[in-house]
Amino acid sequence: MNKAINNMTNEIVRIIDDCKPSIYLYGSVVLDDFKLGWSDIDILVLTQKSISEPQVKELVRLRQAMLAKEPNNPYYRSFEGGMLTLGAFVSGKKDTVVYWGTSGERITDKYHFDSFSMTELLECGQLLHGDDVRNELTLPTFSMLYADVRHHYETIRKYVQKADRSLYSFGWMLDIARCLYTLRTGKIIAKTEAAVWALENELCPNSDVLRYALQVRREPLKHKNNEQTFDYAETLAEPIQHFADVLEKEL
């Protein structure tokens, strides 16, 4: 993973060095909670000047190019994040944005960064290259974290009436645990750590389900071809909603 991060950073700098990029690592990697087969390598690239069209086109293709160059390094698939000017990131105004996501790459004009990600970036993000510009960013208030927790809760109520046959269905249980931790403490922790905390504090009505979700989170590659795990994933809608009841009361 460290080789992939270093190589990706060097390639981004090669492409947009004249834009004076500041490149950050945040998320599960810096929280010591990265699990290959589940987690992302979250990066943020903030530039002092706009990225040119030729540079944008090269950045959009960079993940695939790196994977083609090193097909035996699976970590290149895990990179996600946005690349845009610092000014647009701070103001929220439209700008050319290169976005790498789970579903692919695209060029867009806005980049959403929620309060959880911003808190991670400011409190424990790792500067990989360039000047540290985090003094120009603002740490989210508790009310902002609360608003994002409520939005997450509403998403669960709306979209998790049926669970997908996917490892990521277990992620809803961990997300709820993390939201509960943030509401009670005002702080951000890793999802695995949050699930352990929720179990220790007996917050989950279906503790066996949360324990299983924790097992999947810790060893996703062990479960990726396990049909019993996917059968279980399809039964998760009800326990997820029961755990969401706890989150609703906390809200």
Side-chain angles (χ1 to χ4, degrees):
M1 181 172 67
N2 288 335
K3 179 183 178 183
I5 291 171
N6 290 334
N7 289 348
M8 187 65 78
T9 301
N10 291 337
E11 284 300 298
I12 293 172
V13 172
R14 177 187 65 78
I15 295 167
I16 58 170
D17 190 37
D18 64 317
C19 298
K20 296 183 178 180
S22 296
I23 305 175
Y24 292 95
L25 190 67
Y26 67 99
S28 61
V29 174
V30 297
L31 293 173
D32 196 26
D33 195 34
F34 179 89
K35 308 296 179 186
L36 185 63
W38 182 313
S39 307
D40 305 316
I41 300 175
D42 296 298
I43 64 168
L44 175 68
V45 180
L46 301 175
T47 63
Q48 294 299 321
K49 73 174 190 177
S50 295
I51 305 170
S52 70
E53 185 175 346
Q55 289 169 328
V56 165
K57 289 181 179 178
E58 191 168 0
L59 288 172
V60 166
R61 298 190 296 263
L62 183 57
R63 285 196 302 185
Q64 287 81 4
M66 297 299 289
L67 187 60
K69 191 182 296 185
E70 295 183 51
N72 294 324
N73 189 328
Y75 291 96
Y76 291 115
R77 295 188 182 92
S78 302
F79 282 91
E80 291 200 3
M83 307 177 198
L84 67 161
T85 62
L86 172 62
F89 184 74
V90 172
S91 68
K93 293 180 180 178
K94 291 184 177 182
D95 187 23
T96 300
V97 179
V98 175
Y99 174 72
W100 294 346
T102 305
S103 58
E105 308 78 26
R106 65 178 182 271
I107 302 168
T108 182
D109 59 7
K110 295 200 80 173
Y111 184 55
H112 174 68
F113 212 68
D114 67 19
S115 60
F116 277 70
S117 297
M118 184 65 82
T119 301
E120 289 174 2
L121 175 69
L122 293 178
E123 292 187 344
C124 53
Q126 179 183 345
L127 180 66
L128 299 175
H129 175 84
D131 295 331
D132 195 344
V133 296
R134 284 176 290 186
N135 63 333
E136 299 191 40
L137 307 177
T138 303
L139 185 68
T141 62
F142 178 77
S143 63
M144 293 175 182
L145 290 168
Y146 181 95
D148 278 334
V149 170
R150 176 165 287 281
H151 175 73
H152 196 65
Y153 161 78
E154 291 168 352
T155 300
I156 292 167
R157 290 302 201 200
K158 183 175 180 180
Y159 293 107
V160 196
Q161 298 303 316
K162 181 180 179 182
D164 295 330
R165 190 177 176 82
S166 166
L167 295 186
Y168 297 115
S169 290
F170 294 97
W172 293 109
M173 298 292 291
L174 307 179
D175 290 342
I176 294 170
R178 194 184 195 204
C179 287
L180 286 167
Y181 182 88
T182 296
L183 289 178
R184 291 202 173 184
T185 67
K187 298 178 181 179
I188 303 294
I189 59 172
K191 293 178 181 179
T192 300
E193 190 179 353
V196 172
W197 170 84
L199 287 169
E200 289 174 346
N201 287 273
E202 300 180 346
L203 296 177
C204 184
N206 306 87
S207 57
D208 288 344
V209 178
L210 184 55
R211 287 191 186 93
Y212 197 99
L214 198 52
Q215 290 177 17
V216 176
R217 169 71 181 184
R218 283 171 167 160
E219 297 184 285
L221 295 180
K222 180 179 176 180
H223 290 270
K224 71 173 186 176
N225 295 316
N226 188 327
E227 288 302 313
Q228 288 183 327
T229 298
F230 290 105
D231 291 343
Y232 197 175
E234 289 185 307
T235 72
L236 291 178
E238 186 173 343
I240 289 169
Q241 293 299 333
H242 286 165
F243 203 10
D245 291 340
V246 178
L247 181 57
E248 180 180 17
K249 290 178 181 178
E250 198 73 28
L251 284 164

